[in-house]
Amino acid sequence: MHVLLPDGTRKDLDDGASGAELAAAIGPGLARAALAVKVEGELRDLARPLADGERVEIVTDRSPESLELIRHDTAHVLAAAVLDLYPGTRISIGPPIQDGFYYDFEFPAGVTVSEHDLPALEEGMRRHVRAKEEFTREDVTVDAALERFRGEDQPYKVELIEDLVRDAGVETVSLYTNGPFTDLCRGPHAPTTGRIKAFKLLSLAGAYWR
């Protein structure tokens, strides 16, 4: 098969080659720098297979999309660190935003988190970054995802999946795992948590679900 690069160059690849394999075929430096791919304008994981004839751009830390991608990765790492420190926490959503990222949590009864706890959370996040945990995607049926999150007592994830079924008629959803943490997420993500270079937790705020 072949794909087309932004300058119109045709690149021949094995059938089903991934974005990572495309980057490696272009050069070892690009393979090391690659964070994701943009396929026909859609941002995707490097690991996802490409299709014949697609227009593909390799996303690196110099690309305008890279900051949002890494902020999204960092939100997942924050959630992983919170669950390490506060088992039983219920998680809702954690998107990148214009000035950074956030994640909404419901902490277990009796647990109060303040700004004094942020350094410990940051250190927990750094452990996940140093571990260079792979972000792996799994597409599962709605029933399997509901069973998983009900079993983990994550009612907000259950509600989000039920919304997707009602509003979009989905039959499958995607899950992303880094280290011990698995989240409902459409992605994409960088290859590993090790691509996160710097972050800072600045504040806490109360939130209402919906």
Side-chain angles (χ1 to χ4, degrees):
M1 74 173 198
H2 76 277
V3 297
L4 298 175
L5 302 180
D7 63 359
T9 301
R10 171 180 169 138
K11 193 69 178 178
D12 293 321
L13 299 166
D14 292 336
D15 288 348
S18 67
E21 289 168 321
L22 169 61
I26 295 171
L30 185 59
R32 290 190 297 271
L35 294 172
V37 288
K38 193 156 64 169
V39 180
E40 303 291 351
E42 178 191 3
L43 205 60
R44 296 183 188 174
D45 302 317
L46 280 173
R48 290 183 66 178
L50 304 172
D52 186 46
E54 289 181 323
R55 291 186 175 273
V56 184
E57 177 182 349
I58 305 296
V59 174
T60 71
D61 60 7
R62 296 184 178 182
S63 305
E65 301 87 356
S66 64
L67 185 56
E68 181 175 344
L69 184 78
I70 293 298
R71 284 172 172 170
H72 189 185
D73 295 348
T74 311
H76 279 238
V77 168
L78 170 59
V82 165
L83 289 172
D84 289 342
L85 287 172
Y86 307 105
T89 297
R90 291 172 169 176
I91 58 177
S92 57
I93 57 173
I97 55 176
Q98 183 176 359
D99 297 323
F101 63 92
Y102 72 89
Y103 213 117
D104 285 340
F105 303 103
E106 180 188 342
F107 291 99
V111 172
T112 300
V113 179
S114 73
E115 292 188 359
H116 296 294
D117 299 302
L118 297 184
L121 279 170
E122 289 177 345
E123 180 53 35
M125 293 172 69
R126 283 190 285 270
R127 285 194 292 270
H128 286 279
V129 171
R130 288 194 296 265
K132 297 181 179 179
E133 298 163 348
E134 291 187 11
F135 283 103
T136 58
R137 175 185 172 119
E138 181 183 11
D139 293 300
V140 301
T141 65
V142 163
D143 287 345
L146 288 172
E147 181 179 2
R148 178 189 186 107
F149 288 115
R150 284 173 178 148
E152 294 176 356
D153 190 27
Q154 294 293 349
Y156 301 115
K157 297 299 180 183
V158 169
E159 187 173 339
L160 289 168
I161 295 168
E162 290 173 340
D163 287 349
L164 288 170
V165 173
R166 183 190 65 240
D167 298 337
V170 302
E171 297 181 354
T172 63
V173 295
S174 55
L175 308 179
Y176 278 81
T177 298
N178 62 283
F181 176 62
T182 298
D183 202 359
L184 173 72
C185 179
R186 65 183 179 183
H189 284 279
T192 77
T193 58
R195 305 305 292 272
I196 299 169
K197 300 305 180 185
F199 57 84
K200 182 69 176 175
L201 299 180
L202 298 177
S203 63
L204 298 171
Y208 293 94
W209 179 243
R210 304 297 173 93

